[in-house]
Amino acid sequence: MATRSAVRQLKFWGWGYEDQQPPQNEVQATAAAARAHLGFEPAEVEQPARLGDIDLPAPRLEPPASLAAICSSDPYERVTHAYGKAYRDIVRAFRGRIDNPPDVVARPRDEADVERLLDWCASAGAAAIPFGGGTSVVGGVEPRGLDASVSIDMRALDRLLEVDSVSRAALIQAGATGPQLEEQLHEHGLTLRHFPQSFEYSTLGGWIATRAGGHFATLMTHIDDLVESVRAVTPSGAWESRRLPGSGAGPSPDRVLLGSEGTLGVVTQAWMRVQERPRLRAGASVHFHGFEAGAEAVRELAQSGLWPSNCRLLDPGEAELMAGAPSGRALLVLGFESAHHPVDASLELALECCTDHGGEVQDSKESGGGAGAWRNAFIQAPYLRDTLIAGGVLSDTFETAITWERLPSFVARVREEAERAVAEECGAGRVTCRLTHAYPDGAAPYFTVLAPARRGSELEQWDAVKAAASEAVAAAGGTITHHHAVGRDHRPWYDRQRPDAFALGLRGMKRALDPAGIMNPGVLIDP
Ligand SMILES: Cc1cc2nc3c(=O)[nH]c(=O)nc-3n(C[C@H](O)[C@H](O)[C@H](O)COP(=O)(O)OP(=O)(O)OC[C@H]3O[C@@H](n4cnc5c(N)ncnc54)[C@H](O)[C@@H]3O)c2cc1C
């Protein structure tokens, strides 16, 4: 067996593999350049803690002999399963502060292992926390405040099991990451075409459990739209829905598991609607005089039936910062793609709509090269976040959705509240906004906060900004999350957002499926 040091390891504190971490002199140069670009004073660039320096409490659980082969209490395993990848997670792990390590990390090899693990957790009174890629940004995998816990890492179940090329669907195990499942589908000329920014490390099971949103702006925005049927193991037995293209038979069993965030059971596999790989692309970028003019164009596009695959509107602050747009100009990144028909005519109509709203077309690429470059930059961004954190830049995002008639006042109000909190907590900083997804009846505003961090107080700074922003979102009628999920961090606002009678029903379902209350306690709902 290979020793751990010979195996490529994920960083225990940040994004990607240890061998992807740039050398410290490069981190220093990039962090200094980023601070200067953001207009922040220079600051010392820190180094991450070393794993060997982290003291963990002794594990409070010992697996039975029958499960010993798939369980570990190795420090690297416990540390890498203690947090997700929110700003507050990375800051803590970077400093070697591991507040709530799981006692045991289990890596089931099949469904029978999952069943035996849940039985053991119920009898031992331990929490069972399903773990996909650990990219949660809402405290979804952190065993916060729990007595004893087992992190159930699903990544050994990473196979494409079956392809139905007639119905164009594929049965995929829940632990497959984005690249793993795309690579296996590629052999069949197919794609799931679901690209969240965390694509490289997040898993199908995690996407289903959190109702993840991909980077396509219209039509099939969420993983929900791609799920044909789901299979999960709950403490009360297996849950598998029929494969159907649609069904009116009562509330949908799939919709109940979608967004269940590990509180009802462990998703083990799903039949997913797959597609032919797109070959035909066209894209362009367009400048607008201000965010509101751009948003009006996006509304018309979303209501036009043209269904652009990419339709991201960056406000002037973000357009200037990320794409060097001239001051005061919002930037719309527009793209179309298809496996079947040329999309240039669609792009042309979309650009006409943009110019009707005062848009100035910057570049138009028939190959859609612009959209591909956008996607690559999008997937690379989280690596840069690690460098920003080392350089003392507070860097996080929050996202929501709202109907069109309220969008302008909503964005203004949330931005104002977030800016006020950033100024109070950090003394300086920026809040920018982009529209990531566009629907006929509304859009999903996505806010980015970049501010100088006060070393040692980053969590308090971010928590205050996040709370102010969340209060503003809730008060103005938005959702506390469009695709990042609820987890532990969004609970106060989610509890207020969901109807009381729905909470009663959900609680009843939780009690029936998870009578011992072991499944990811603290997330979504209390039994
Ligand atoms: C840099 C970055 C970019 C991101 N971009 C996006 C984005 O574009 N779109 C988006 O939607 N999200 C995004 N996220 C958030 C995150 O990637 C998603 O929530 C993702 O779906 C989580 O998948 P995961 O496999 O990492 O799950 P984890 O983080 O491991 O788990 C998330 C939740 O799902 C549960 N869970 C995981 N696997 C299972 C399973 N098999 N059965 C039952 N429950 C399970 C966990 O218990 C937990 O509650 C981003 C996060 C980061 C850090």
Side-chain angles (χ1 to χ4, degrees), residues 159-160 177-191 199 277:
R159 299 287 87 202
L160 167 65
T177 61
Q180 285 169 339
L181 67 82
E182 281 297 333
E183 202 179 303
Q184 294 174 78
L185 286 169
H186 199 163
E187 289 168 23
H188 300 266
L190 296 168
T191 173
F199 170 80
R277 300 169 68 76

Side-chain angles (χ1 to χ4, degrees), residues 61 103 118 120-129 147-150 516-519 521:
L61 283 171
D103 298 278
L118 295 191
W120 168 50
C121 288
S123 63
I129 304 185
D147 283 341
S149 64
V150 179
I518 57 167
M519 298 304 309

Side-chain angles (χ1 to χ4, degrees), residues 130 132-136 140 196-198 202-203 206-207 209-210 212-213 261-262 267 382 483 520:
T135 65
S136 168
Q197 193 182 33
S198 55
S202 52
T203 62
W207 299 342
T210 60
E261 300 191 30
V267 174
H483 56 264
N520 214 359

Side-chain angles (χ1 to χ4, degrees), residues 313-333:
L313 179 69
L314 279 58
D315 74 1
E318 194 159 324
E320 189 179 357
L321 197 64
M322 304 297 181
S327 172
R329 300 295 168 88
L331 170 69
L332 179 65
V333 184

Side-chain angles (χ1 to χ4, degrees), residues 119-144:
D119 285 348
W120 168 50
C121 288
S123 63
I129 304 185
F131 189 101
T135 65
S136 168
V137 284
V138 291
V141 293
E142 179 180 347
R144 204 178 290 166

